[in-house]
Amino acid sequence: MSLEMTAGPTPRGRVKLPSQLLGSWEAGLLAFMALLYLAGVLINPAFFGTTDAISAVLRDTARFGVMAVGMTFVIVNRDLDLSVGSTLGLVAVSFSILFAPTHLDIDAGTATAICLGLGLLVGLINGVLVAILRVPPFIATLTMLFIGRGVVLGLTGGKTIGYDIKARDYGFFALGETNGLGFNNQILIFLLFAAVGALLLAKTRIGYETYATGGNDQAAQYAGINTRWVRVRAFMLSSFCAAVAGLMNVAQDKGVTSQYGQGAELIVIAAVIVGGASIAGGRGRVLGACLGAALVVLIDKVLREGVPTTRVIDVGGVKMEVAAMAQLPPGAVPAFLGLLLLGAVLLEPLVVRGNVLGRLKGWLLRRDVPASADSGGIAIVGVKTMGAASDARGVGLRGLRAFLHRRDAAAIILMVVLWAAGFWLRPDFWGSLDNSFNLLLAFTEIGLLSLGLTYVIANGDIDLSVGSVLALSGAVAAFTMKELGGDPATAVVLALAAGLACGLFNGWLTAKIGMPAFVATLGMFYIARGLAAWLVSGRQLSGFPEAYNLLGRNLSVVLESFGVHATGAFAAVARAVSVQTLFLAIVAILAAVVLGAMSFGQKVYATGGNERAASYAGINTKRVRLLSLVFSSLCAAAAGVIYVAYYRSFNPAAGQLRELDAIASVIIGGGSIFGGYGTIIGSLAGAAVITLIRALLSLQIFLSDGSSFVMPQHWMNVFIGLILLAAVIGDIWFRQNNILGEWKRRRQARAQARHDARAAGVAA
C-alpha cells in the first residue's frame, strides 16, 4: 500500500489540499467535463447555456453521488458491492409500504428511521458474509442483489405505490423539491455526503485503516488493524448511502415502482472506477468518485440532447419546412459509458504510471527519457483458491459415496427433488411431454450461457457481458434479415461473428492487457447493450423468414416444413424435442469432453487453480483465458440467435440480467468462484435448478376443495439467491476448510485425551 503525502510545509499564503482529497486525476475529470459541457452548449445553447442545466445535472447526480461515496470505501477496501441498487429499491419500497395510507399508514419520521436501520442491516449482512464467513464479495453482494430484487417484486407485486396527497403534510418530502435559491434540495444532501465522506477517507483513522486494508490486508493485520471490522464497516456505510439514495428517490417521486434501483449498482461502480479508484484496492478518493458520478450523468444528458435542425416534408405536393431535433440513436449513451470505463481503467497504469507524457517530452526535446514509474502494466490478479484439500479424499471411492463426493452432486440431487416436487403437485400437467418441451425451451437460453461461463469461472475469471452479447448478436441477426434483406444463413454467421468479436475484445483486455475480467466484461456489458439498441434504433423487430424461425421450433414443425409427417411415438417425441434443445445437447457434450477429457480442459483447471504455477509448468495461461472468454461469448451469441428464432422477434431488452442467472447456475452446479473447478453437467444442473424454481413458482396448485392458487412467483429471486449463497458457503466451509472433518478430528482428539487421562489414573 502506498499513500501520497504532502511533502514539506506548505508556503505561507498558499492553500494546498492534501493529495488524499484531490489530485491530478480529478483535475483531468474536471477538464474533460468542461469540454463535454461546452459540447452541450454548442449542441443546445437554449438548455446548456443556462444555469438550469447545471442544476439539472447536479440534481440527477445527487443519488448516484451519495451511493458512490459509500462504494468508494468498499472498492478502496478491495471489495465490491453489487447490492446497492437492490438496497435502494428495498428501502424505497419499505418506506412506501410503511408510509402509504393504503398500507401501514405511519408517519414519515418513523418510516425514515426504520428504513435507515434496514440499510445498515443489509450492510451488516454483507459484511458478515464477506469478512467473517469469507464469501467472495462479488458472490455475497450478488446474492443480496437477487434477494433484494425478489423482495421488492414480492412486496409491490409489480405495481406502483403512490401517496401524493398524504405527502403534502410532511416536511420530509421537501428534500425532493426545489428551494428558494432555485436548485433541488437533494444537491445539498449530495454535497454534505461528499464533504463528510472525503474528510473521513482522507483525514481520519477510518480512512487510513481503509487504505491499509485495501493495499495489503495481511500487513494491515500485522500493524494491529482489525481488518474484518474495517470491511464490515465499509459495507454498512455503502448500504447506508444506498438507503439514503432510496429515501431521496421517494422524496422526489412521492411513490415507488418495482423497478426502482435496477441497474444502479453498475452505474455506481463505473462512476467510482472512472473517478480513479482501483478495483484492486488501496487507491481511490471520494471526490473523484463524485466527479465520476457527475460525468456519467453529464454524458447521458449531452448524448441525449438533440441538435436543432430543419426538415423538409412533402404534404400534398407542397414542400414545407418543419423544426426537428437530430439525435444520436438509442444505445449511444451506454456504449459511450462502457468505452469511458475501459479508458479510465487503462489510462492510469498505461499513461500516468507509465509516465508516457514525460517520456514523450524527453524524446521530443532530445533529453534523457525518464523511466516508467511502473513497468508492470496493470497486472491486477484476483485472489485464487487455496485448493480444496477434501477433494483428494475422494480418490478410490466407488458408487454412491463417489457420487456424493462430487462437487456437482448437490445440484443434481436438488434438480431431481424439484422435478419430483412438481410431479407430486401436478402429475396431470408436470409429467406431460408438452410441459417437458416448455421447460426445455426455458432452459436452453440460460443453459447455453452457463456452458461458456463454466470455462471462464474455472479459469478464475468472470464474464458479466454474456447477457448483452446475447442482445447484440440477436440484434445483428434481426437487423441483417429485416433491414438488409439478408438470408438466414448470413444472419446467423454475422451474429456469431459479433459474438466472436466481443469475446476477442474481452480476452485481449483480460489476458493480454491484464485488465481484471470483472472490469473488462463490465465495459463490454455497456458497449454491447448500447450497440444492440443502436443497431435496431431501440425498436422491436419482427417478420423474419420462416426458414430462420425453424431454429426455435420443435422437430415436428421442422419435419413438416420438409414434407415429412411423424407418426406414433416418434411424433410425440418430435413435438417435445426442439432444434435448440438438440443444439444445446451437442454443444454441452463437446464442451464436457473438452473440459473433462482433453488437455485444454486440464489447462483451464490448472490456470484457475494457480495461474503462476500453471505458467511455470509451461501452460500458456493467457491463451487459455482468452479462448475461454471467446467460447463464452460464442455461446451467448448462439443464445441470441435462438432467442430471435424462438420469439420470432427481437426486443432490445433481450438477455437482461441473464448474466446473473448464468453465473448462479455455474456456482450452484459446483463451480468455484475462486477458479480451478467446474463441470458441464453441474452447470447444466444449476441452470435446471433455476428453471425448475421459476416453473414451480408459476404452477397452479389445485386443492381438495376445488380451489386453486399460484405460488408467489415474485419471490423466485429470493430462493435463487439463498440457494446460491448456500452453495458458496458450502464450498468454502465444507469443502475448502473441511469444517466437518476438522470438527470430527477435534472430537476424536478430545476423546483420546480423556481416554489417556483415565488410563493414566488407573495406572497410578
Side-chain angles (χ1 to χ4, degrees):
M1 182 202 67
S2 61
L3 292 176
E4 299 177 11
M5 302 298 292
T6 310
T10 303
R12 184 172 299 177
R14 289 177 57 194
V15 178
K16 185 175 182 181
L17 289 173
S19 57
Q20 295 96 329
L21 275 174
L22 193 67
S24 58
W25 187 273
E26 287 78 10
L29 284 177
L30 285 171
F32 182 69
M33 289 170 66
L35 291 175
L36 194 60
Y37 195 88
L38 180 60
V41 172
L42 295 175
I43 292 173
N44 188 354
F47 174 69
F48 283 100
T50 66
T51 57
D52 291 341
I54 298 176
S55 179
V57 169
L58 289 176
R59 180 200 63 211
D60 294 344
T61 300
R63 291 184 289 273
F64 291 125
V66 168
M67 297 167 73
V69 171
M71 185 68 75
T72 303
F73 284 79
V74 173
I75 290 181
V76 171
N77 257 345
R78 202 177 184 177
D79 288 327
L80 197 67
D81 190 353
L82 288 173
S83 68
V84 290
S86 293
T87 302
L88 182 152
L90 179 61
V91 166
V93 168
S94 298
F95 178 90
S96 299
I97 289 176
L98 291 168
F99 179 78
T102 55
H103 292 73
L104 297 183
D105 196 21
I106 67 176
D107 64 277
T110 304
T112 299
I114 293 174
C115 289
L116 292 177
L118 177 61
L120 289 173
L121 177 61
V122 172
L124 178 62
I125 294 173
N126 283 336
V128 169
L129 288 174
V130 173
I132 309 300
L133 296 180
R134 301 202 307 231
V135 178
F138 175 83
I139 290 298
T141 57
L142 174 64
T143 301
M144 293 305 295
L145 184 153
F146 269 115
I147 294 174
R149 185 56 52 194
V151 171
V152 166
L153 288 173
L155 291 176
T156 62
K159 300 177 181 177
T160 300
I161 302 175
Y163 31 84
D164 286 343
I165 297 176
K166 184 181 177 182
R168 299 170 187 169
D169 301 328
Y170 291 88
F172 166 81
F173 293 92
L175 296 176
E177 298 176 355
T178 302
N179 56 36
L181 299 177
F183 59 87
N184 195 286
N185 287 318
Q186 293 186 65
I187 298 174
L188 295 177
I189 301 175
F190 167 47
L191 295 177
L192 175 63
F193 269 74
V196 173
L199 291 175
L200 276 178
L201 190 59
K203 301 299 291 179
T204 68
R205 180 176 179 84
I206 291 175
Y208 294 137
E209 289 176 346
T210 301
Y211 281 120
T213 300
N216 191 318
D217 186 276
Q218 192 171 14
Q221 293 181 41
Y222 290 155
I225 297 174
N226 186 346
T227 57
R228 287 185 176 182
W229 165 241
V230 172
R231 299 174 75 189
V232 171
R233 180 177 62 200
F235 279 110
M236 292 180 68
L237 178 59
S238 177
S239 292
F240 180 79
C241 289
V244 171
L247 293 173
M248 292 164 67
N249 263 347
V250 295
Q252 177 169 301
D253 297 340
K254 300 176 180 61
V256 70
T257 70
S258 60
Q259 303 303 311
Y260 257 37
Q262 192 167 6
E265 53 280 331
L266 296 179
I267 294 176
V268 174
I269 291 170
V272 175
I273 294 175
V274 168
S278 170
I279 199 71
R283 190 185 74 241
R285 286 184 284 248
V286 168
L287 293 183
C290 293
L291 289 175
L295 178 59
V296 170
V297 172
L298 184 59
I299 288 172
D300 180 80
K301 286 199 171 294
V302 171
L303 293 185
R304 290 186 193 278
E305 280 297 319
V307 179
T309 185
T310 302
R311 294 174 55 190
V312 178
I313 61 174
D314 193 333
V315 180
V318 179
K319 294 185 177 181
M320 302 177 59
E321 292 186 352
V322 296
M325 298 290 288
Q327 293 179 302
L328 288 175
V333 175
F336 191 84
L337 178 60
L339 291 172
L340 179 67
L341 171 63
L342 297 179
V345 177
L346 286 171
L347 184 66
E348 196 274 337
L350 297 182
V351 177
V352 178
R353 280 190 287 161
N355 197 18
V356 170
L357 297 179
R359 293 165 65 84
L360 178 62
K361 180 180 178 181
W363 180 77
L364 291 175
L365 298 179
R366 298 183 181 277
R367 297 175 180 172
D368 292 337
V369 178
S372 172
D374 183 0
S375 60
I378 297 176
I380 301 174
V381 180
V383 178
K384 302 294 182 181
T385 181
M386 296 179 295
S390 62
D391 281 1
R393 301 187 184 93
V395 177
L397 296 179
R398 294 291 184 271
L400 181 61
R401 293 182 62 194
F403 170 73
L404 293 177
H405 194 82
R406 292 170 57 99
R407 295 175 61 91
D408 49 20
I412 295 173
I413 293 172
L414 182 58
M415 174 186 68
V416 174
V417 169
L418 289 171
W419 191 91
F423 187 79
W424 177 70
L425 291 169
R426 284 290 306 276
D428 60 319
F429 167 74
W430 195 263
S432 67
L433 283 177
D434 289 339
N435 180 62
S436 300
F437 169 65
N438 291 329
L439 286 175
L440 287 173
L441 290 179
F443 168 73
T444 303
E445 185 177 320
I446 184 174
L448 274 173
L449 297 180
S450 67
L451 292 182
L453 272 169
T454 303
Y455 280 73
V456 173
I457 292 178
N459 262 335
D461 289 326
I462 201 70
D463 189 353
L464 294 177
S465 67
V466 288
S468 297
V469 173
L470 182 156
L472 177 59
S473 63
V476 169
F479 182 81
T480 300
M481 291 182 290
K482 189 68 176 178
E483 303 296 334
L484 301 182
D487 59 274
T490 302
V492 172
V493 170
L494 290 179
L496 294 177
L500 176 64
C502 293
L504 288 171
F505 189 66
N506 284 338
W508 176 71
L509 289 175
T510 301
K512 300 298 184 181
I513 301 299
M515 183 180 291
F518 172 83
V519 179
T521 57
L522 176 60
M524 182 55 68
F525 171 92
Y526 284 111
I527 295 171
R529 179 70 62 184
L531 290 177
W534 192 330
L535 198 59
V536 299
S537 300
R539 299 171 297 149
Q540 181 167 325
L541 299 182
S542 59
F544 309 124
E546 191 58 31
Y548 179 88
N549 294 333
L550 290 177
L551 294 174
R553 308 274 76 79
N554 57 40
L555 289 182
S556 64
V557 175
V558 176
L559 292 175
E560 288 174 3
S561 68
F562 288 99
V564 179
H565 298 281
T567 59
F570 179 69
V573 173
R575 286 194 301 271
V577 178
S578 65
V579 174
Q580 55 183 293
T581 303
L582 291 177
F583 178 77
L584 172 63
I586 293 171
V587 176
I589 292 171
L590 293 176
V593 170
V594 172
L595 189 61
M598 297 182 68
S599 61
F600 182 79
Q602 301 310 305
K603 291 176 182 178
V604 169
Y605 288 135
T607 301
N610 191 320
E611 185 175 358
R612 183 172 296 179
S615 298
Y616 289 157
I619 297 174
N620 187 343
T621 58
K622 292 183 178 180
R623 180 173 176 269
V624 170
R625 295 173 67 197
L626 185 147
L627 290 177
S628 296
L629 285 165
V630 167
F631 178 59
S632 178
S633 289
L634 283 174
C635 287
V641 170
I642 291 173
Y643 172 93
V644 174
Y646 174 65
Y647 290 104
R648 302 186 183 188
S649 66
F650 173 76
N651 190 317
Q656 212 161 41
L657 297 181
R658 280 305 196 188
E659 53 277 339
L660 303 182
D661 284 347
I663 292 169
S665 299
V666 177
I667 303 303
I668 291 171
S672 174
I673 196 66
F674 299 105
Y677 302 100
T679 62
I680 295 299
I681 189 172
S683 297
L684 291 178
V689 166
I690 292 177
T691 303
L692 288 169
I693 288 175
R694 291 203 164 107
L696 282 171
L697 291 178
S698 60
L699 188 64
Q700 186 176 14
I701 309 299
F702 292 100
L703 302 178
S704 57
D705 60 359
S707 62
S708 66
F709 71 96
V710 177
M711 294 186 183
Q713 55 185 315
H714 291 301
W715 299 87
M716 66 177 62
N717 283 342
V718 176
F719 291 101
I720 295 172
L722 292 175
I723 293 173
L724 174 60
L725 186 60
V728 175
I729 292 178
D731 176 34
I732 294 171
W733 290 99
F734 289 94
R735 293 190 179 277
Q736 296 200 43
N737 292 288
N738 193 25
I739 190 171
L740 291 180
E742 183 65 19
W743 174 78
K744 182 179 180 181
R745 185 191 65 78
R746 292 184 180 182
R747 186 165 174 247
Q748 291 174 345
R750 286 195 297 268
Q752 185 64 41
R754 288 195 297 269
H755 179 271
D756 293 342
R758 285 195 299 268
V762 171

